[in-house]
């Protein structure tokens, strides 16, 4: 049984805490923002979990690493 959540959420900023999602894509007109997210491992098909959300600063887990991202980055990650 898969632990992944099928979702209709459109981006990571609306994700539930401690639920694992699959990244569908990274959407932004800002090339640097997209490239930064790719360096974190935010590729389509990759698993991502929001560990915490404190005042729109999100701690996420991608590929067994944790990162802190802001609201703009979280909105660019499509689920």
């Amino acid at each position: 049984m898969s632990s992944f959540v099928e979702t209709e959420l459109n981006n990571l900023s609306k994700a539930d805490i401690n639920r694992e999602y699959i990244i569908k894509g990274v959407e932004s007109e800002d090339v640097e923002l997209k490239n930064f997210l790719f360096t974190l491992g935010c590729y389509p098909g990759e698993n991502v979990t929001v560990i915490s959300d404190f005042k729109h600063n999100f701690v996420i887990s991608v590929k067994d690493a944790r990162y802190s991202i802001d609201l703009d980055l979280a909105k660019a990650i499509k689920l």
Side-chain angles (χ1 to χ4, degrees):
M1 181 171 168
S2 175
S3 63
F4 302 110
V5 176
E6 291 293 328
T7 179
E8 293 296 324
L9 298 175
N10 65 351
N11 66 61
L12 192 65
S13 70
K14 298 177 181 175
D16 293 332
I17 304 298
N18 292 323
R19 293 184 86 176
E20 194 168 43
Y21 296 90
I22 298 174
I23 297 171
K24 291 185 178 175
V26 174
E27 293 181 4
S28 175
E29 298 295 320
D30 187 339
V31 175
E32 287 185 30
L33 184 147
K34 289 175 75 172
N35 288 340
F36 176 72
L37 287 173
F38 290 148
T39 65
L40 300 183
C42 295
Y43 290 96
E46 195 62 52
N47 303 325
V48 63
T49 304
V50 176
I51 305 298
S52 68
D53 170 13
F54 182 71
K55 295 186 178 182
H56 296 300
N57 289 302
F58 301 86
V59 175
I60 63 169
S61 174
V62 178
K63 293 186 172 186
D64 295 327
R66 291 184 179 196
Y67 304 101
S68 179
I69 62 173
D70 66 13
L71 181 61
D72 290 337
L73 291 170
K75 285 182 175 179
I77 299 172
K78 303 304 176 188
L79 304 175

